[in-house]
Amino acid sequence: MEKEKTIMDYDTVSLDDEDSAVVIIDQTLLPGRTELIRLKTAEEIWNAIYLLKVRGAPAIGVTAAFGIYLLAKACREENYDRFLAEFRNNKEYLDSSRPTAVNLSWALNRMERVVTENADCPVPQIVSLLKREAEEIRDEDIRVCRKIGEYGLTLVKKGDGILTHCNAGQLATVRYGTATAPIYLGQERGYGFHVYADETRPLLQGARLTAFELLSSGVDVTLICDNMASTVMKNGWVNAVFVGCDRVAANGDTANKIGTSGVAILAAHYGIPFYVCAPTSTIDLSTPTGDKIRIEERKPEEVSEMWYRERMAPEGIKIFNPAFDVTDHSLITGIVTEYGVLRAPFEEAFRKLPGKRD
Ligand code: MRU
């Protein structure tokens, strides 16, 4: 009998070049419905990122890379300067869809370099090079996440309890996830982890996405409300915390989904190691400290109405809805990258990374 398809058998993001479409899973419909949608125009790509149909720092980087390639392919301009001007317009537009995750501008800048470094080539050749670069960004993400998984696995032992926040899973990347990569590799190797997934108010990425993908993979996962993390830690059920991140500042301060800094403070209180899993593409040395990271603020309805049958807050109430917070570097035990586990002082550790020296 054919094995039943699970969410893990779908690509989070892929390119259908023949149909000139970026294909994504519409994550706003999960876990109830798995539906693929095809993004063709700049507006469709922008909206999919803004509305979190595709989300998670690496996944939005890959979507933007495929997207800008398709927009460059659709540009009928043979003149290099006019091609570059249109490319830059599209780049700026896509880059404005979400501000906090650096992978979005990182991927778009990488694509732009292909255009500027090949200014002598005919435009159709530049377009082919753009396709190759976007595919390399996707393939690199798979390799990097697997490496993060290997290094992360050295930090835990068989039977450990692991707590994670939001979704830094396969649905946030191309494969494996970042924070979930050690869990998936451990699962393949019989580590028997017990995972606690914070539901992650207000958009429930932990409940709708992390719990869903881990359960589909056969991982022993327990869903908790965000305000239960202290209890499971106090009970001694958590040996390590693994979270993802959207931008790491030069001093090691880390922006991730709102609520992450609270988890880090709890972990420090209970003496539990707190690990941030980060592809080095997420380390942004041009941002000196976490207070310089721009934090996205989202609509109040996400707090007062979304997911509820009826509004659950009085009309007219003031609502503050930041999508991310910054965890102070002093609370981070280690940053797990594709090159190994970095320890404080992070500034120094970052400077030793390939590509970060200058
Ligand atoms: O608003 P989201 O769902 O895009 O937020 C996602 C996160 O905060 C993730 O932890 C982060 O992007 C890392 S994904 C590997």
Side-chain angles (χ1 to χ4, degrees), residues 118 121-130:
N118 293 285
C121 298
V123 167
Q125 197 180 331
I126 299 177
V127 172
S128 304
L129 293 170
L130 282 170

Side-chain angles (χ1 to χ4, degrees), residues 66-116:
F66 282 147
I68 194 103
Y69 153 64
L70 288 177
L71 298 173
K73 187 173 85 162
C75 166
R76 290 279 158 246
E77 206 46 81
E78 291 282 322
N79 173 281
Y80 176 81
D81 290 331
R82 287 198 294 268
F83 173 79
L84 177 64
E86 185 168 330
F87 182 94
R88 286 190 165 145
N89 272 343
N90 285 326
K91 174 185 176 240
E92 207 176 305
Y93 176 61
L94 295 184
D95 204 11
S96 69
S97 53
R98 291 195 81 187
T100 306
V102 71
N103 301 61
L104 179 60
S105 47
W106 169 83
L108 288 167
N109 285 337
R110 212 168 128 169
M111 295 295 281
E112 184 182 38
R113 273 201 300 278
V114 170
V115 179
T116 52

